[in-house]
Amino acid sequence: TATTAGLLLCSSVALGKTASSTMHVSLEVESSCTFSSDDLDFGSHSTNTITELKANTLLHVTCSKGTSYAVGTTATALELTHNVSDKVAYKLFSDSAETIEFNSTKPLAAALGTGNENKIPLFGVIAASALSSVPAGSYSQDIALTVTY
């Protein structure tokens, strides 16, 4: 048809001049972290248990590559509570040798994010004979943990 022939003619016309421009393309990647923790469970023990009780768990931190972060807690008292007045104190450590304590004044050592999950071990210890002065029952505490980056 005549319309098709006209379109073919236009598409074969050579263009001789050009103009140019520069386009700036950008992206800002913000640092980020995700954080979760497994529960710490000391299990079931009798009130006449005289040995130190130990348990461990994992903290899961994923921060963007190159992001410095530290794990902390706002809990000022690490005590498992039953019926408000009955308490069992415990301590948290970042090492199995129990030399690096973790509490509200002693955060875990700073680390550098890789973009992959970092599994951080945490160790709990209840002193020997701590159960001898408390009644039987369920003891628990929810503590707030934070990742600062």
Side-chain angles (χ1 to χ4, degrees), residues 6 27 64 101 133:
L27 166 71
S64 49
E101 194 169 353
S133 61

Side-chain angles (χ1 to χ4, degrees), residues 27-108:
L27 166 71
E28 182 174 342
V29 177
E30 296 179 352
S31 60
S32 65
C33 293
T34 59
F35 179 49
S36 66
S37 59
D38 297 339
D39 291 339
L40 180 66
D41 186 356
F42 285 101
S44 296
H45 302 277
S46 126
T47 56
N48 61 3
T49 300
I50 58 171
T51 59
E52 191 173 67
L53 302 177
K54 297 183 180 193
N56 60 64
T57 190
L58 289 173
L59 308 179
H60 306 270
V61 182
T62 304
C63 289
S64 49
K65 185 176 182 177
T67 300
S68 181
Y69 68 90
V71 177
T73 182
T74 56
T76 55
L78 298 177
E79 297 174 321
L80 302 169
T81 305
H82 169 73
N83 292 336
V84 182
S85 61
D86 299 314
K87 299 177 182 187
V88 176
Y90 65 99
K91 290 184 178 184
L92 295 173
F93 297 90
S94 62
D95 64 323
S96 61
E98 301 167 18
T99 59
I100 305 170
E101 194 169 353
F102 171 63
N103 58 41
S104 63
T105 62
K106 299 174 185 173
L108 297 179

Side-chain angles (χ1 to χ4, degrees), residues 1-13:
T1 68
T3 306
T4 304
L7 286 174
L8 288 173
L9 266 179
C10 287
S11 65
S12 64
V13 175

